[in-house]
Short mmCIF file of all heavy atoms in Angstrom, two decimals:
data_model
loop_
_atom_site.label_atom_id
_atom_site.label_comp_id
_atom_site.label_asym_id
_atom_site.label_seq_id
_atom_site.Cartn_x
_atom_site.Cartn_y
_atom_site.Cartn_z
N ALA A 54 55.67 60.46 57.20
CA ALA A 54 54.35 61.02 57.48
C ALA A 54 53.85 60.57 58.85
O ALA A 54 53.26 61.34 59.60
CB ALA A 54 53.36 60.62 56.39
N ARG A 55 54.10 59.28 59.18
CA ARG A 55 53.70 58.79 60.51
C ARG A 55 54.50 59.49 61.62
O ARG A 55 53.95 59.79 62.69
CB ARG A 55 53.90 57.27 60.57
CG ARG A 55 52.92 56.51 59.67
CD ARG A 55 52.94 55.02 59.96
NE ARG A 55 54.21 54.42 59.59
CZ ARG A 55 54.47 53.92 58.38
NH1 ARG A 55 53.54 53.96 57.43
NH2 ARG A 55 55.62 53.38 58.10
N ASP A 58 53.00 62.81 62.14
CA ASP A 58 51.76 62.71 62.90
C ASP A 58 52.07 62.57 64.40
O ASP A 58 51.40 63.19 65.25
CB ASP A 58 50.95 61.51 62.43
CG ASP A 58 50.35 61.74 61.06
OD1 ASP A 58 50.28 62.91 60.66
OD2 ASP A 58 49.99 60.76 60.39
N GLU A 208 44.30 60.99 47.02
CA GLU A 208 43.79 60.29 48.18
C GLU A 208 44.77 60.40 49.35
O GLU A 208 45.99 60.26 49.15
CB GLU A 208 43.55 58.82 47.86
CG GLU A 208 42.40 58.56 46.90
CD GLU A 208 41.07 58.92 47.51
OE1 GLU A 208 40.96 58.81 48.76
OE2 GLU A 208 40.16 59.33 46.78
N PRO A 209 44.30 60.66 50.58
CA PRO A 209 45.21 60.68 51.73
C PRO A 209 45.93 59.35 51.89
O PRO A 209 45.32 58.28 51.76
CB PRO A 209 44.27 60.97 52.91
CG PRO A 209 43.09 61.64 52.31
CD PRO A 209 42.93 61.03 50.94
N GLY A 210 47.23 59.42 52.16
CA GLY A 210 48.03 58.21 52.30
C GLY A 210 48.60 57.72 50.99
O GLY A 210 49.44 56.83 50.98
N HIS A 224 53.42 62.99 49.18
CA HIS A 224 52.57 62.19 50.06
C HIS A 224 51.66 63.16 50.83
O HIS A 224 52.13 64.14 51.40
CB HIS A 224 53.43 61.38 51.04
CG HIS A 224 52.62 60.53 51.99
ND1 HIS A 224 52.00 61.04 53.10
CD2 HIS A 224 52.34 59.20 51.96
CE1 HIS A 224 51.37 60.08 53.74
NE2 HIS A 224 51.56 58.94 53.06
N PHE A 225 50.36 62.89 50.81
CA PHE A 225 49.39 63.76 51.46
C PHE A 225 48.68 63.00 52.59
O PHE A 225 48.25 61.86 52.40
CB PHE A 225 48.35 64.27 50.46
CG PHE A 225 48.94 65.10 49.36
CD1 PHE A 225 49.31 64.51 48.15
CD2 PHE A 225 49.17 66.46 49.53
CE1 PHE A 225 49.86 65.26 47.14
CE2 PHE A 225 49.71 67.21 48.52
CZ PHE A 225 50.07 66.62 47.32
N SER A 226 48.64 63.63 53.76
CA SER A 226 47.96 63.04 54.92
C SER A 226 46.84 63.98 55.36
O SER A 226 46.98 65.22 55.31
CB SER A 226 48.95 62.83 56.08
OG SER A 226 50.01 61.98 55.68
N ARG A 227 45.76 63.39 55.81
CA ARG A 227 44.65 64.18 56.34
C ARG A 227 44.91 64.49 57.81
O ARG A 227 45.26 63.60 58.59
CB ARG A 227 43.33 63.42 56.16
CG ARG A 227 42.12 64.23 56.62
CD ARG A 227 40.84 63.40 56.54
NE ARG A 227 40.43 63.18 55.19
CZ ARG A 227 40.42 62.01 54.58
NH1 ARG A 227 40.82 60.92 55.25
NH2 ARG A 227 40.02 61.87 53.34
N LEU A 228 44.80 65.72 58.24
CA LEU A 228 45.01 66.14 59.61
C LEU A 228 43.68 66.53 60.26
O LEU A 228 42.75 66.98 59.58
CB LEU A 228 45.97 67.34 59.67
CG LEU A 228 47.38 67.11 59.11
CD1 LEU A 228 48.18 68.40 59.18
CD2 LEU A 228 48.10 65.99 59.86
N PRO A 237 42.59 70.34 56.41
CA PRO A 237 44.04 70.51 56.25
C PRO A 237 44.71 69.23 55.74
O PRO A 237 44.24 68.13 55.99
CB PRO A 237 44.49 70.85 57.67
CG PRO A 237 43.47 70.20 58.55
CD PRO A 237 42.18 70.28 57.81
N ARG A 238 45.79 69.42 55.01
CA ARG A 238 46.58 68.32 54.48
C ARG A 238 48.05 68.55 54.81
O ARG A 238 48.56 69.67 54.68
CB ARG A 238 46.42 68.20 52.97
CG ARG A 238 45.01 67.87 52.49
CD ARG A 238 44.65 66.42 52.81
NE ARG A 238 43.41 66.02 52.18
CZ ARG A 238 42.22 66.15 52.73
NH1 ARG A 238 42.12 66.69 53.96
NH2 ARG A 238 41.13 65.77 52.09
N LEU A 239 48.71 67.47 55.28
CA LEU A 239 50.16 67.48 55.45
C LEU A 239 50.77 66.96 54.15
O LEU A 239 50.47 65.85 53.72
CB LEU A 239 50.57 66.59 56.62
CG LEU A 239 52.08 66.29 56.74
CD1 LEU A 239 52.87 67.56 56.98
CD2 LEU A 239 52.34 65.26 57.84
N ALA A 240 51.59 67.77 53.47
CA ALA A 240 52.18 67.41 52.19
C ALA A 240 53.68 67.24 52.36
O ALA A 240 54.37 68.16 52.80
CB ALA A 240 51.88 68.48 51.14
N LEU A 241 54.18 66.06 52.03
CA LEU A 241 55.61 65.76 52.05
C LEU A 241 56.09 65.56 50.63
O LEU A 241 55.46 64.82 49.85
CB LEU A 241 55.90 64.51 52.88
CG LEU A 241 55.43 64.53 54.34
CD1 LEU A 241 55.81 63.23 55.03
CD2 LEU A 241 56.02 65.71 55.09
#
Side-chain angles (χ1 to χ4, degrees):
R55 291 192 293 271
D58 289 342
E208 291 293 330
H224 180 281
F225 298 94
S226 301
R227 183 184 288 113
L228 299 177
R238 296 288 189 270
L239 168 63
L241 302 181

